[in-house]
mmCIF file of all heavy atoms in Angstrom:
data_model
loop_
_atom_site.group_PDB
_atom_site.id
_atom_site.type_symbol
_atom_site.label_atom_id
_atom_site.label_comp_id
_atom_site.label_asym_id
_atom_site.label_seq_id
_atom_site.Cartn_x
_atom_site.Cartn_y
_atom_site.Cartn_z
ATOM 1 N N VAL A 543 1.683 33.802 35.220
ATOM 2 C CA VAL A 543 2.816 34.674 35.467
ATOM 3 C C VAL A 543 3.755 33.992 36.470
ATOM 4 O O VAL A 543 3.467 32.935 36.978
ATOM 5 C CB VAL A 543 2.353 36.065 36.035
ATOM 6 C CG1 VAL A 543 1.506 36.773 35.005
ATOM 7 C CG2 VAL A 543 1.591 35.863 37.334
ATOM 8 N N GLY A 544 4.918 34.622 36.713
ATOM 9 C CA GLY A 544 5.825 34.065 37.705
ATOM 10 C C GLY A 544 7.306 34.195 37.371
ATOM 11 O O GLY A 544 8.156 33.583 38.064
ATOM 12 N N ASP A 545 7.633 34.879 36.273
ATOM 13 C CA ASP A 545 9.040 35.005 35.892
ATOM 14 C C ASP A 545 9.888 35.611 37.038
ATOM 15 O O ASP A 545 9.519 36.670 37.600
ATOM 16 C CB ASP A 545 9.171 35.867 34.637
ATOM 17 C CG ASP A 545 10.486 35.602 33.939
ATOM 18 O OD1 ASP A 545 10.926 34.462 33.836
ATOM 19 O OD2 ASP A 545 11.116 36.584 33.442
ATOM 20 N N ASP A 546 10.965 34.906 37.414
ATOM 21 C CA ASP A 546 11.862 35.335 38.460
ATOM 22 C C ASP A 546 11.221 35.393 39.855
ATOM 23 O O ASP A 546 11.649 36.102 40.713
ATOM 24 C CB ASP A 546 12.470 36.722 38.122
ATOM 25 C CG ASP A 546 13.809 36.946 38.830
ATOM 26 O OD1 ASP A 546 14.520 35.945 39.089
ATOM 27 O OD2 ASP A 546 14.155 38.097 39.132
ATOM 28 N N GLU A 547 10.140 34.642 39.996
ATOM 29 C CA GLU A 547 9.435 34.558 41.275
ATOM 30 C C GLU A 547 9.575 33.157 41.835
ATOM 31 O O GLU A 547 10.086 32.241 41.168
ATOM 32 C CB GLU A 547 7.973 34.909 41.133
ATOM 33 C CG GLU A 547 7.699 36.308 40.572
ATOM 34 C CD GLU A 547 8.091 37.432 41.487
ATOM 35 O OE1 GLU A 547 8.430 37.138 42.678
ATOM 36 O OE2 GLU A 547 8.072 38.604 41.093
ATOM 37 N N LYS A 548 9.103 32.928 43.067
ATOM 38 C CA LYS A 548 9.232 31.632 43.708
ATOM 39 C C LYS A 548 8.240 30.610 43.221
ATOM 40 O O LYS A 548 8.467 29.402 43.287
ATOM 41 C CB LYS A 548 9.101 31.799 45.225
ATOM 42 C CG LYS A 548 10.266 32.451 45.929
ATOM 43 C CD LYS A 548 10.054 32.507 47.419
ATOM 44 C CE LYS A 548 11.305 32.950 48.169
ATOM 45 N NZ LYS A 548 11.802 34.259 47.719
ATOM 46 N N PHE A 549 7.111 31.077 42.669
ATOM 47 C CA PHE A 549 6.057 30.159 42.278
ATOM 48 C C PHE A 549 5.223 30.730 41.090
ATOM 49 O O PHE A 549 5.303 31.940 40.808
ATOM 50 C CB PHE A 549 5.130 29.852 43.458
ATOM 51 C CG PHE A 549 4.471 31.043 44.074
ATOM 52 C CD1 PHE A 549 3.306 31.586 43.566
ATOM 53 C CD2 PHE A 549 5.041 31.671 45.199
ATOM 54 C CE1 PHE A 549 2.702 32.704 44.130
ATOM 55 C CE2 PHE A 549 4.443 32.778 45.761
ATOM 56 C CZ PHE A 549 3.266 33.294 45.225
ATOM 57 N N VAL A 550 4.484 29.841 40.466
ATOM 58 C CA VAL A 550 3.594 30.209 39.375
ATOM 59 C C VAL A 550 2.274 30.767 39.932
ATOM 60 O O VAL A 550 1.754 30.256 40.908
ATOM 61 C CB VAL A 550 3.319 29.024 38.488
ATOM 62 C CG1 VAL A 550 2.244 29.309 37.428
ATOM 63 C CG2 VAL A 550 4.602 28.564 37.809
ATOM 64 N N ALA A 551 1.808 31.834 39.285
ATOM 65 C CA ALA A 551 0.493 32.418 39.679
ATOM 66 C C ALA A 551 -0.254 32.717 38.391
ATOM 67 O O ALA A 551 0.208 32.443 37.284
ATOM 68 C CB ALA A 551 0.712 33.679 40.487
ATOM 69 N N ALA A 552 -1.488 33.268 38.536
ATOM 70 C CA ALA A 552 -2.271 33.537 37.337
ATOM 71 C C ALA A 552 -3.220 34.705 37.545
ATOM 72 O O ALA A 552 -3.655 34.990 38.678
ATOM 73 C CB ALA A 552 -3.082 32.302 36.974
ATOM 74 N N ILE A 553 -3.488 35.377 36.457
ATOM 75 C CA ILE A 553 -4.535 36.386 36.384
ATOM 76 C C ILE A 553 -5.707 35.742 35.623
ATOM 77 O O ILE A 553 -5.487 35.203 34.518
ATOM 78 C CB ILE A 553 -4.066 37.649 35.669
ATOM 79 C CG1 ILE A 553 -2.934 38.311 36.456
ATOM 80 C CG2 ILE A 553 -5.210 38.644 35.436
ATOM 81 C CD1 ILE A 553 -3.332 38.782 37.831
ATOM 82 N N ILE A 554 -6.892 35.785 36.191
ATOM 83 C CA ILE A 554 -8.040 35.077 35.614
ATOM 84 C C ILE A 554 -9.228 35.987 35.428
ATOM 85 O O ILE A 554 -9.599 36.696 36.385
ATOM 86 C CB ILE A 554 -8.432 33.869 36.481
ATOM 87 C CG1 ILE A 554 -7.332 32.786 36.489
ATOM 88 C CG2 ILE A 554 -9.772 33.270 36.058
ATOM 89 C CD1 ILE A 554 -7.569 31.641 37.464
ATOM 90 N N HIS A 555 -9.818 35.961 34.237
ATOM 91 C CA HIS A 555 -11.095 36.594 34.000
ATOM 92 C C HIS A 555 -12.152 35.510 34.025
ATOM 93 O O HIS A 555 -12.160 34.613 33.162
ATOM 94 C CB HIS A 555 -11.090 37.315 32.633
ATOM 95 C CG HIS A 555 -12.441 37.850 32.272
ATOM 96 N ND1 HIS A 555 -13.137 38.785 33.034
ATOM 97 C CD2 HIS A 555 -13.274 37.617 31.214
ATOM 98 C CE1 HIS A 555 -14.296 39.058 32.489
ATOM 99 N NE2 HIS A 555 -14.411 38.359 31.363
ATOM 100 N N PRO A 556 -13.034 35.502 35.043
ATOM 101 C CA PRO A 556 -14.008 34.399 35.176
ATOM 102 C C PRO A 556 -15.123 34.494 34.130
ATOM 103 O O PRO A 556 -15.370 35.580 33.554
ATOM 104 C CB PRO A 556 -14.572 34.603 36.584
ATOM 105 C CG PRO A 556 -14.431 36.056 36.853
ATOM 106 C CD PRO A 556 -13.170 36.493 36.117
ATOM 107 N N ASN A 557 -15.770 33.404 33.902
ATOM 108 C CA ASN A 557 -16.933 33.348 33.033
ATOM 109 C C ASN A 557 -18.131 33.910 33.843
ATOM 110 O O ASN A 557 -18.754 33.175 34.620
ATOM 111 C CB ASN A 557 -17.217 31.906 32.586
ATOM 112 C CG ASN A 557 -18.339 31.813 31.608
ATOM 113 O OD1 ASN A 557 -19.297 32.626 31.631
ATOM 114 N ND2 ASN A 557 -18.270 30.837 30.701
ATOM 115 N N LEU A 558 -18.372 35.181 33.663
ATOM 116 C CA LEU A 558 -19.376 35.873 34.511
ATOM 117 C C LEU A 558 -20.776 35.326 34.302
ATOM 118 O O LEU A 558 -21.585 35.269 35.233
ATOM 119 C CB LEU A 558 -19.324 37.372 34.236
ATOM 120 C CG LEU A 558 -18.018 38.076 34.625
ATOM 121 C CD1 LEU A 558 -18.019 39.537 34.231
ATOM 122 C CD2 LEU A 558 -17.756 37.930 36.131
ATOM 123 N N GLU A 559 -21.098 34.930 33.086
ATOM 124 C CA GLU A 559 -22.435 34.404 32.821
ATOM 125 C C GLU A 559 -22.647 33.077 33.541
ATOM 126 O O GLU A 559 -23.681 32.847 34.158
ATOM 127 C CB GLU A 559 -22.651 34.241 31.293
ATOM 128 C CG GLU A 559 -24.089 33.873 30.917
ATOM 129 C CD GLU A 559 -24.356 33.967 29.437
ATOM 130 O OE1 GLU A 559 -23.536 34.646 28.685
ATOM 131 O OE2 GLU A 559 -25.352 33.410 28.989
ATOM 132 N N GLU A 560 -21.665 32.223 33.433
ATOM 133 C CA GLU A 560 -21.742 30.920 34.107
ATOM 134 C C GLU A 560 -21.763 31.122 35.611
ATOM 135 O O GLU A 560 -22.439 30.405 36.365
ATOM 136 C CB GLU A 560 -20.555 30.047 33.731
ATOM 137 C CG GLU A 560 -20.557 28.637 34.306
ATOM 138 C CD GLU A 560 -21.625 27.715 33.710
ATOM 139 O OE1 GLU A 560 -22.154 28.044 32.615
ATOM 140 O OE2 GLU A 560 -21.909 26.677 34.328
ATOM 141 N N LEU A 561 -20.995 32.111 36.075
ATOM 142 C CA LEU A 561 -20.908 32.427 37.486
ATOM 143 C C LEU A 561 -22.287 32.836 38.039
ATOM 144 O O LEU A 561 -22.734 32.340 39.091
ATOM 145 C CB LEU A 561 -19.888 33.526 37.726
ATOM 146 C CG LEU A 561 -19.815 34.127 39.142
ATOM 147 C CD1 LEU A 561 -19.477 33.062 40.147
ATOM 148 C CD2 LEU A 561 -18.813 35.255 39.157
ATOM 149 N N ARG A 562 -22.945 33.690 37.336
ATOM 150 C CA ARG A 562 -24.266 34.149 37.775
ATOM 151 C C ARG A 562 -25.290 33.016 37.770
ATOM 152 O O ARG A 562 -26.171 32.940 38.635
ATOM 153 C CB ARG A 562 -24.735 35.334 36.912
ATOM 154 C CG ARG A 562 -23.930 36.625 37.153
ATOM 155 C CD ARG A 562 -24.577 37.798 36.456
ATOM 156 N NE ARG A 562 -23.844 39.050 36.784
ATOM 157 C CZ ARG A 562 -22.928 39.610 36.013
ATOM 158 N NH1 ARG A 562 -22.575 39.027 34.871
ATOM 159 N NH2 ARG A 562 -22.302 40.699 36.397
ATOM 160 N N SER A 563 -25.168 32.135 36.771
ATOM 161 C CA SER A 563 -26.059 30.989 36.709
ATOM 162 C C SER A 563 -25.807 30.061 37.906
ATOM 163 O O SER A 563 -26.806 29.589 38.522
ATOM 164 C CB SER A 563 -25.804 30.201 35.407
ATOM 165 O OG SER A 563 -26.583 29.031 35.363
ATOM 166 N N TRP A 564 -24.566 29.866 38.244
ATOM 167 C CA TRP A 564 -24.243 29.026 39.402
ATOM 168 C C TRP A 564 -24.791 29.674 40.675
ATOM 169 O O TRP A 564 -25.392 29.004 41.553
ATOM 170 C CB TRP A 564 -22.711 28.835 39.500
ATOM 171 C CG TRP A 564 -22.245 28.353 40.856
ATOM 172 C CD1 TRP A 564 -22.306 27.060 41.309
ATOM 173 C CD2 TRP A 564 -21.688 29.149 41.918
ATOM 174 N NE1 TRP A 564 -21.793 27.013 42.578
ATOM 175 C CE2 TRP A 564 -21.411 28.261 42.981
ATOM 176 C CE3 TRP A 564 -21.381 30.494 42.056
ATOM 177 C CZ2 TRP A 564 -20.857 28.706 44.194
ATOM 178 C CZ3 TRP A 564 -20.826 30.940 43.200
ATOM 179 C CH2 TRP A 564 -20.564 30.044 44.270
ATOM 180 N N ALA A 565 -24.560 30.985 40.851
ATOM 181 C CA ALA A 565 -25.011 31.674 42.054
ATOM 182 C C ALA A 565 -26.530 31.597 42.200
ATOM 183 O O ALA A 565 -27.051 31.360 43.314
ATOM 184 C CB ALA A 565 -24.567 33.142 41.986
ATOM 185 N N LYS A 566 -27.250 31.734 41.102
ATOM 186 C CA LYS A 566 -28.702 31.658 41.145
ATOM 187 C C LYS A 566 -29.153 30.263 41.606
ATOM 188 O O LYS A 566 -30.069 30.143 42.450
ATOM 189 C CB LYS A 566 -29.294 31.993 39.775
ATOM 190 C CG LYS A 566 -30.810 31.996 39.750
ATOM 191 C CD LYS A 566 -31.298 32.384 38.326
ATOM 192 C CE LYS A 566 -32.840 32.369 38.294
ATOM 193 N NZ LYS A 566 -33.327 32.741 36.961
ATOM 194 N N SER A 567 -28.483 29.209 41.031
ATOM 195 C CA SER A 567 -28.876 27.857 41.388
ATOM 196 C C SER A 567 -28.564 27.528 42.858
ATOM 197 O O SER A 567 -29.222 26.682 43.434
ATOM 198 C CB SER A 567 -28.161 26.837 40.490
ATOM 199 O OG SER A 567 -26.769 26.849 40.743
ATOM 200 N N GLU A 568 -27.571 28.204 43.432
ATOM 201 C CA GLU A 568 -27.173 27.985 44.805
ATOM 202 C C GLU A 568 -27.850 28.931 45.792
ATOM 203 O O GLU A 568 -27.597 28.860 46.971
ATOM 204 C CB GLU A 568 -25.647 28.123 44.967
ATOM 205 C CG GLU A 568 -24.848 27.092 44.175
ATOM 206 C CD GLU A 568 -25.035 25.702 44.731
ATOM 207 O OE1 GLU A 568 -25.035 25.539 45.954
ATOM 208 O OE2 GLU A 568 -25.183 24.771 43.908
ATOM 209 N N GLY A 569 -28.695 29.847 45.250
ATOM 210 C CA GLY A 569 -29.360 30.806 46.115
ATOM 211 C C GLY A 569 -28.402 31.844 46.669
ATOM 212 O O GLY A 569 -28.651 32.385 47.753
ATOM 213 N N ILE A 570 -27.335 32.127 45.944
ATOM 214 C CA ILE A 570 -26.330 33.098 46.391
ATOM 215 C C ILE A 570 -26.599 34.455 45.746
ATOM 216 O O ILE A 570 -26.753 34.534 44.530
ATOM 217 C CB ILE A 570 -24.914 32.611 46.041
ATOM 218 C CG1 ILE A 570 -24.576 31.326 46.850
ATOM 219 C CG2 ILE A 570 -23.859 33.684 46.335
ATOM 220 C CD1 ILE A 570 -23.279 30.658 46.414
ATOM 221 N N SER A 571 -26.582 35.476 46.511
ATOM 222 C CA SER A 571 -26.758 36.838 45.997
ATOM 223 C C SER A 571 -25.418 37.479 45.787
ATOM 224 O O SER A 571 -24.655 37.665 46.709
ATOM 225 C CB SER A 571 -27.618 37.664 46.992
ATOM 226 O OG SER A 571 -27.742 38.975 46.503
ATOM 227 N N LEU A 572 -25.122 37.793 44.532
ATOM 228 C CA LEU A 572 -23.858 38.424 44.200
ATOM 229 C C LEU A 572 -24.056 39.910 43.891
ATOM 230 O O LEU A 572 -25.134 40.314 43.441
ATOM 231 C CB LEU A 572 -23.247 37.746 42.949
ATOM 232 C CG LEU A 572 -22.763 36.324 43.095
ATOM 233 C CD1 LEU A 572 -22.273 35.790 41.733
ATOM 234 C CD2 LEU A 572 -21.649 36.223 44.126
ATOM 235 N N PRO A 573 -23.036 40.722 44.118
ATOM 236 C CA PRO A 573 -23.150 42.158 43.766
ATOM 237 C C PRO A 573 -23.259 42.337 42.252
ATOM 238 O O PRO A 573 -22.854 41.451 41.489
ATOM 239 C CB PRO A 573 -21.879 42.761 44.330
ATOM 240 C CG PRO A 573 -20.918 41.601 44.463
ATOM 241 C CD PRO A 573 -21.745 40.404 44.745
ATOM 242 N N ASP A 574 -23.779 43.451 41.847
ATOM 243 C CA ASP A 574 -23.901 43.722 40.415
ATOM 244 C C ASP A 574 -22.566 44.142 39.791
ATOM 245 O O ASP A 574 -22.285 43.864 38.639
ATOM 246 C CB ASP A 574 -24.971 44.861 40.171
ATOM 247 C CG ASP A 574 -26.336 44.392 40.533
ATOM 248 O OD1 ASP A 574 -26.631 43.182 40.419
ATOM 249 O OD2 ASP A 574 -27.152 45.279 40.953
ATOM 250 N N ASP A 575 -21.763 44.832 40.565
ATOM 251 C CA ASP A 575 -20.473 45.364 40.096
ATOM 252 C C ASP A 575 -19.493 44.235 39.840
ATOM 253 O O ASP A 575 -19.156 43.448 40.751
ATOM 254 C CB ASP A 575 -19.930 46.340 41.130
ATOM 255 C CG ASP A 575 -18.576 46.907 40.713
ATOM 256 O OD1 ASP A 575 -18.323 46.974 39.484
ATOM 257 O OD2 ASP A 575 -17.756 47.241 41.593
ATOM 258 N N PRO A 576 -18.973 44.075 38.585
ATOM 259 C CA PRO A 576 -18.006 43.009 38.285
ATOM 260 C C PRO A 576 -16.774 43.065 39.150
ATOM 261 O O PRO A 576 -16.227 41.996 39.529
ATOM 262 C CB PRO A 576 -17.651 43.228 36.818
ATOM 263 C CG PRO A 576 -18.860 43.942 36.248
ATOM 264 C CD PRO A 576 -19.362 44.803 37.367
ATOM 265 N N GLU A 577 -16.306 44.260 39.520
ATOM 266 C CA GLU A 577 -15.121 44.342 40.379
ATOM 267 C C GLU A 577 -15.407 43.769 41.761
ATOM 268 O O GLU A 577 -14.583 43.075 42.354
ATOM 269 C CB GLU A 577 -14.663 45.814 40.504
ATOM 270 C CG GLU A 577 -14.036 46.314 39.198
ATOM 271 C CD GLU A 577 -13.330 47.648 39.433
ATOM 272 O OE1 GLU A 577 -13.126 48.038 40.595
ATOM 273 O OE2 GLU A 577 -12.950 48.315 38.440
ATOM 274 N N ALA A 578 -16.576 44.069 42.294
ATOM 275 C CA ALA A 578 -16.979 43.535 43.589
ATOM 276 C C ALA A 578 -17.143 42.002 43.501
ATOM 277 O O ALA A 578 -16.787 41.281 44.441
ATOM 278 C CB ALA A 578 -18.282 44.184 44.061
ATOM 279 N N ILE A 579 -17.646 41.530 42.397
ATOM 280 C CA ILE A 579 -17.807 40.054 42.177
ATOM 281 C C ILE A 579 -16.428 39.409 42.301
ATOM 282 O O ILE A 579 -16.258 38.341 42.925
ATOM 283 C CB ILE A 579 -18.458 39.800 40.811
ATOM 284 C CG1 ILE A 579 -19.953 40.117 40.865
ATOM 285 C CG2 ILE A 579 -18.257 38.314 40.455
ATOM 286 C CD1 ILE A 579 -20.651 39.929 39.541
ATOM 287 N N CYS A 580 -15.418 40.030 41.651
ATOM 288 C CA CYS A 580 -14.085 39.412 41.646
ATOM 289 C C CYS A 580 -13.406 39.447 42.982
ATOM 290 O O CYS A 580 -12.421 38.742 43.219
ATOM 291 C CB CYS A 580 -13.207 40.130 40.582
ATOM 292 S SG CYS A 580 -13.676 39.742 38.884
ATOM 293 N N ARG A 581 -13.923 40.279 43.903
ATOM 294 C CA ARG A 581 -13.385 40.311 45.271
ATOM 295 C C ARG A 581 -14.125 39.367 46.231
ATOM 296 O O ARG A 581 -13.708 39.186 47.368
ATOM 297 C CB ARG A 581 -13.419 41.744 45.837
ATOM 298 C CG ARG A 581 -12.492 42.717 45.114
ATOM 299 C CD ARG A 581 -12.379 44.045 45.905
ATOM 300 N NE ARG A 581 -13.667 44.716 46.060
ATOM 301 C CZ ARG A 581 -14.094 45.653 45.186
ATOM 302 N NH1 ARG A 581 -13.343 45.999 44.163
ATOM 303 N NH2 ARG A 581 -15.249 46.235 45.353
ATOM 304 N N ASP A 582 -15.246 38.825 45.733
ATOM 305 C CA ASP A 582 -16.076 37.971 46.589
ATOM 306 C C ASP A 582 -15.386 36.642 46.877
ATOM 307 O O ASP A 582 -14.947 35.929 45.956
ATOM 308 C CB ASP A 582 -17.434 37.708 45.879
ATOM 309 C CG ASP A 582 -18.476 37.133 46.837
ATOM 310 O OD1 ASP A 582 -18.291 35.979 47.234
ATOM 311 O OD2 ASP A 582 -19.466 37.815 47.132
ATOM 312 N N GLU A 583 -15.274 36.291 48.150
ATOM 313 C CA GLU A 583 -14.587 35.069 48.532
ATOM 314 C C GLU A 583 -15.275 33.825 48.002
ATOM 315 O O GLU A 583 -14.610 32.834 47.654
ATOM 316 C CB GLU A 583 -14.498 34.993 50.060
ATOM 317 C CG GLU A 583 -13.643 33.812 50.568
ATOM 318 C CD GLU A 583 -12.275 33.791 50.019
ATOM 319 O OE1 GLU A 583 -11.648 34.868 49.863
ATOM 320 O OE2 GLU A 583 -11.777 32.664 49.729
ATOM 321 N N ARG A 584 -16.609 33.840 47.892
ATOM 322 C CA ARG A 584 -17.319 32.672 47.383
ATOM 323 C C ARG A 584 -16.990 32.441 45.892
ATOM 324 O O ARG A 584 -16.851 31.304 45.433
ATOM 325 C CB ARG A 584 -18.833 32.870 47.565
ATOM 326 C CG ARG A 584 -19.276 32.950 49.001
ATOM 327 C CD ARG A 584 -20.670 33.512 49.113
ATOM 328 N NE ARG A 584 -20.755 34.865 48.619
ATOM 329 C CZ ARG A 584 -21.886 35.581 48.612
ATOM 330 N NH1 ARG A 584 -23.008 35.042 49.045
ATOM 331 N NH2 ARG A 584 -21.897 36.822 48.139
ATOM 332 N N VAL A 585 -16.827 33.540 45.168
ATOM 333 C CA VAL A 585 -16.463 33.452 43.751
ATOM 334 C C VAL A 585 -15.020 32.906 43.619
ATOM 335 O O VAL A 585 -14.735 32.089 42.770
ATOM 336 C CB VAL A 585 -16.603 34.815 43.056
ATOM 337 C CG1 VAL A 585 -16.042 34.788 41.649
ATOM 338 C CG2 VAL A 585 -18.047 35.298 43.078
ATOM 339 N N HIS A 586 -14.160 33.433 44.478
ATOM 340 C CA HIS A 586 -12.767 32.978 44.484
ATOM 341 C C HIS A 586 -12.699 31.481 44.715
ATOM 342 O O HIS A 586 -11.931 30.750 44.014
ATOM 343 C CB HIS A 586 -11.957 33.728 45.545
ATOM 344 C CG HIS A 586 -10.495 33.499 45.457
ATOM 345 N ND1 HIS A 586 -9.884 32.393 46.022
ATOM 346 C CD2 HIS A 586 -9.507 34.214 44.880
ATOM 347 C CE1 HIS A 586 -8.560 32.424 45.775
ATOM 348 N NE2 HIS A 586 -8.316 33.533 45.085
ATOM 349 N N GLN A 587 -13.486 30.983 45.635
ATOM 350 C CA GLN A 587 -13.467 29.547 45.909
ATOM 351 C C GLN A 587 -14.034 28.722 44.720
ATOM 352 O O GLN A 587 -13.537 27.655 44.414
ATOM 353 C CB GLN A 587 -14.303 29.284 47.179
ATOM 354 C CG GLN A 587 -14.289 27.801 47.625
ATOM 355 C CD GLN A 587 -12.899 27.250 47.857
ATOM 356 O OE1 GLN A 587 -12.030 27.947 48.395
ATOM 357 N NE2 GLN A 587 -12.659 26.010 47.420
ATOM 358 N N TRP A 588 -15.042 29.267 44.099
ATOM 359 C CA TRP A 588 -15.663 28.632 42.929
ATOM 360 C C TRP A 588 -14.643 28.458 41.802
ATOM 361 O O TRP A 588 -14.537 27.405 41.188
ATOM 362 C CB TRP A 588 -16.864 29.490 42.466
ATOM 363 C CG TRP A 588 -17.638 28.949 41.303
ATOM 364 C CD1 TRP A 588 -18.537 27.922 41.318
ATOM 365 C CD2 TRP A 588 -17.688 29.518 40.014
ATOM 366 N NE1 TRP A 588 -19.090 27.774 40.058
ATOM 367 C CE2 TRP A 588 -18.586 28.750 39.244
ATOM 368 C CE3 TRP A 588 -17.019 30.599 39.391
ATOM 369 C CZ2 TRP A 588 -18.852 29.016 37.896
ATOM 370 C CZ3 TRP A 588 -17.292 30.854 38.055
ATOM 371 C CH2 TRP A 588 -18.207 30.087 37.324
ATOM 372 N N VAL A 589 -13.845 29.495 41.541
ATOM 373 C CA VAL A 589 -12.780 29.419 40.524
ATOM 374 C C VAL A 589 -11.636 28.536 41.006
ATOM 375 O O VAL A 589 -11.041 27.792 40.218
ATOM 376 C CB VAL A 589 -12.289 30.825 40.150
ATOM 377 C CG1 VAL A 589 -11.090 30.756 39.194
ATOM 378 C CG2 VAL A 589 -13.407 31.661 39.543
ATOM 379 N N ALA A 590 -11.355 28.610 42.328
ATOM 380 C CA ALA A 590 -10.219 27.807 42.892
ATOM 381 C C ALA A 590 -10.418 26.324 42.637
ATOM 382 O O ALA A 590 -9.462 25.596 42.421
ATOM 383 C CB ALA A 590 -10.095 28.068 44.374
#
Side-chain angles (χ1 to χ4, degrees):
V543 297
D545 200 40
D546 204 28
E547 302 291 351
K548 287 183 171 56
F549 57 85
V550 172
I553 296 298
I554 293 174
H555 173 59
N557 185 329
L558 295 176
E559 188 169 343
E560 183 72 17
L561 171 60
R562 290 190 175 97
S563 176
W564 165 79
K566 183 178 180 180
S567 67
E568 295 293 318
I570 295 173
S571 178
L572 292 176
D574 294 329
D575 178 28
E577 289 192 12
I579 288 176
C580 289
R581 292 192 298 268
D582 192 292
E583 184 57 37
R584 296 164 298 180
V585 173
H586 189 277
Q587 183 57 40
W588 182 73
V589 174

